[in-house]
Amino acid sequence: MSVRHREPYDNVMEMVGWTPLVRLHQVSADCRTPVYGKCEFMSPGGSVKDRIGLALVSAAERDGTLRPGGVIVEATSGNTGLALAMAAATRGYRCIFTMPDKMSQEKVKLLRAFGAEVVITPTAVGPDHPDHYQQVARRIARETPGAVLADQFYNLENPKAHYATTGPELWEQSGGRITHLVGGAGTGGTISGAGAYLKERNPAVEVVGVDPVGSVISSFFNTGEMGEGHPYLVEGLGNDKIPGALNLDVVDAYVTVKDGEAFRMARRLTTQEGLFVGGSSGLNTHAAVELARRLDDPEAFVVAILCDWGEHYLTKMYDDEWMRENGFLERARRSVHDLVRAKEPLDFRLLTATPSTPVRMALSTLSSHGVSQLPVVRDGDCVGSLSEGRLMARVIQDPGVLDDPVETVMNSPFPVVDSHLDADRATRLLTRENPAVLVRTNGRLEDILTRFDIVRTLTGAAG
């Protein structure tokens, strides 16, 4: 294997390639088949697309379509744009990139940091719609003097770059033992080029394509029919048409993975393997682990492409609230008991009155303990309720009620909820007409939650 970094490089593009291959222990702990990750996120631009940036630029220079002072235009999910921007920076070209609006803001800001112009287009349009990001890129390239479209989706220099670099690296790093290559296809360059090389070295190597649910590539491969795509949130893999750079003859099988499965696996790669990757890496790894589990063969050697760097997705899949809003992460379960424990001060003695308690004594209890609600309890059941505000108003109206029993002035009983239930069960019961709920533990009424308690907890004021 080549020894890296022994001598200075002439420019950043010479640093591309020879990314590490690492065993994935934790996420495949229940598999006898070993699973490895090809760490493309460790390339200088943070993604597998670094491999094609210089290749596309160099090809355009060779055929004379890109000349000094020219403009590189491309439709990108972000990573190819960054690779092209790196190459352009070393050669003095201007860049204009189009991106769908579902892409992370981190990617947009990165491209602009490299001096690129970024045009955002709508995601929810068909591939032939004039506002589709590939169509917009073609229009910009036609209308801009000195511009060339890098055209990663159809440019065969894309898979050639992976045939020349990714494939040989995988063969050498695995000692020729690789049996399965698992990767998605945005453009198709990686699995087409690397897969073709590996199959030349060993025709028994299997190439498994991975598609996000919503992409059309998997269904086309498996049925021969062009289905209708629909939106998905994994970035950089999948497509709403079959890209020309994808050679399906190299692919042996195609599987699909849901957005949530991809994002959760990517987060596991970070927390359990120490590999900070994006959603497409999770997509590939989820499929690779499922494949390894089915193979159940310790002699097999499964490799997943870890496509890009996780920092591109801090405001998306690494943000818990974004994950919850999109249904990919369950909200942390909080029980009624947790709400009670969060009360301030921590006083769990439930104050009550009986139906025969004088109004005067009930008011004294409310005042001396600084509470606004008081349940009226008989034989362990709530039979009524007292509100400090309403009770005072009644006394002001008729002072004579001070010596009456509270059953003559009490309001409807508070609802009761068991302490082990979800907190939502209690909060849903608190309304304008119902200011409190009683908490029952092991069959006994033991505490009370008011609207004030809930608001303090939700706003972080308690504790």
Side-chain angles (χ1 to χ4, degrees):
M1 186 184 296
S2 300
V3 178
R4 310 281 325 265
H5 312 314
R6 285 286 182 86
E7 298 177 357
Y9 294 106
D10 185 58
N11 61 67
V12 67
M13 301 313 295
E14 292 185 358
M15 297 167 58
V16 175
W18 282 111
T19 54
L21 189 67
V22 61
R23 176 79 179 264
L24 306 179
H25 290 280
Q26 302 305 318
V27 300
S28 62
D30 62 343
C31 303
R32 292 202 307 153
T33 305
V35 180
Y36 295 81
K38 179 65 166 160
C39 300
E40 293 298 288
F41 66 93
M42 296 183 70
S43 197
S47 89
V48 65
K49 297 298 187 178
D50 287 0
R51 294 179 181 271
I52 69 172
L54 184 59
L56 299 182
V57 171
S58 297
E61 290 174 335
R62 287 195 303 272
D63 65 22
T65 56
L66 182 61
R67 299 177 180 177
V71 182
I72 301 170
V73 180
E74 184 59 325
T76 177
S77 63
N79 290 327
T80 299
L82 185 56
L84 291 168
M86 288 169 53
T90 65
R91 302 195 178 193
Y93 298 118
R94 176 183 161 211
C95 294
I96 304 175
F97 301 127
T98 61
M99 291 180 69
D101 55 14
K102 77 172 185 178
M103 303 306 169
S104 68
Q105 282 301 303
E106 288 92 341
K107 287 183 176 180
V108 177
K109 291 178 180 179
L110 270 172
L111 292 176
R112 288 174 175 160
F114 274 80
E117 300 173 44
V118 182
V119 178
I120 304 300
T121 66
T123 296
V125 295
D128 298 320
H129 192 281
D131 291 335
H132 188 273
Y133 77 125
Q134 292 183 39
Q135 301 299 333
V136 173
R138 293 183 184 281
R139 184 169 66 248
I140 292 173
R142 288 195 304 268
E143 296 173 354
T144 304
V148 61
L149 183 69
D151 205 16
Q152 61 173 316
F153 293 92
Y154 295 91
N155 193 329
L156 295 184
E157 294 297 325
N158 175 353
K160 284 181 182 178
H162 291 285
Y163 178 90
T165 64
T166 315
E169 289 175 28
L170 287 169
W171 184 259
E172 186 171 343
Q173 289 172 320
S174 69
R177 293 181 296 125
I178 182 172
T179 59
H180 296 78
L181 173 64
V182 181
T187 65
T190 304
I191 61 173
S192 298
Y197 179 88
L198 292 172
K199 282 179 175 290
E200 285 184 7
R201 299 303 303 263
N202 178 7
V205 171
E206 293 188 19
V207 176
V208 178
V210 191
D211 230 11
V213 172
S215 169
V216 304
I217 301 175
S218 178
S219 61
F220 179 79
F221 179 89
N222 289 310
T223 69
E225 298 180 2
M226 181 63 70
E228 184 175 346
H230 56 83
Y232 51 90
L233 293 174
V234 169
E235 300 182 22
L237 293 184
N239 213 312
D240 46 15
K241 63 193 307 183
I242 306 302
L246 173 60
N247 180 7
L248 289 174
D249 291 338
V250 173
V251 182
D252 297 285
Y254 235 109
V255 299
T256 59
V257 173
K258 297 176 182 177
D259 281 332
E261 293 171 327
F263 294 143
R264 288 189 292 272
M265 177 58 80
R267 288 165 63 113
R268 287 184 63 195
L269 285 167
T270 299
T271 59
Q272 297 178 18
E273 305 282 359
L275 301 171
F276 191 31
V277 297
S280 55
S281 301
L283 188 91
N284 293 338
T285 303
H286 179 89
V289 171
E290 290 293 306
L291 171 63
R293 193 174 289 120
R294 290 194 302 272
L295 291 172
D296 193 31
D297 179 5
E299 299 304 314
F301 194 113
V302 176
V303 176
I305 302 295
L306 306 185
C307 306
D308 71 350
W309 180 239
E311 194 169 7
H312 298 169
Y313 310 98
L314 289 175
T315 58
K316 286 196 169 184
M317 54 164 279
Y318 284 106
D319 181 86
D320 286 355
E321 194 56 36
W322 185 89
M323 288 284 286
R324 292 188 188 107
E325 287 174 356
N326 285 279
F328 304 138
L329 190 67
E330 290 186 3
R331 294 190 178 276
R333 184 184 181 278
R334 175 177 263 180
S335 68
V336 173
H337 176 72
D338 294 330
L339 294 180
V340 171
R341 296 291 301 179
K343 286 174 62 175
E344 178 77 18
L346 295 177
D347 181 2
F348 300 113
R349 184 167 60 90
L350 178 62
L351 300 171
T352 65
T354 67
S356 61
T357 300
V359 171
R360 187 189 307 273
M361 185 177 296
L363 273 175
S364 176
T365 300
L366 288 164
S367 177
S368 61
H369 289 277
V371 297
S372 57
Q373 313 293 336
L374 194 65
V376 181
V377 176
R378 178 171 55 207
D379 298 329
D381 293 322
C382 183
V383 296
S385 64
L386 299 171
S387 166
E388 183 182 38
R390 291 182 182 180
L391 198 55
M392 284 185 173
R394 183 66 182 272
V395 169
I396 291 172
Q397 183 182 7
D398 180 10
V401 302
L402 282 170
D403 296 316
D404 291 343
V406 296
E407 64 182 346
T408 63
V409 296
M410 67 185 184
N411 303 309
S412 299
F414 295 135
V416 179
V417 64
D418 289 318
S419 62
H420 69 276
L421 296 177
D422 285 351
D424 286 350
R425 293 286 291 274
T427 57
R428 286 198 297 267
L429 293 171
L430 294 170
T431 64
R432 180 185 296 274
E433 293 75 24
N434 184 53
V437 59
L438 293 177
V439 179
R440 180 170 51 208
T441 303
N442 297 324
R444 296 179 55 188
L445 298 178
E446 292 199 349
D447 216 300
I448 186 171
L449 289 169
T450 67
R451 290 195 299 257
F452 179 74
D453 296 326
I454 301 300
V455 170
R456 282 180 61 84
T457 301
L458 293 177
T459 60

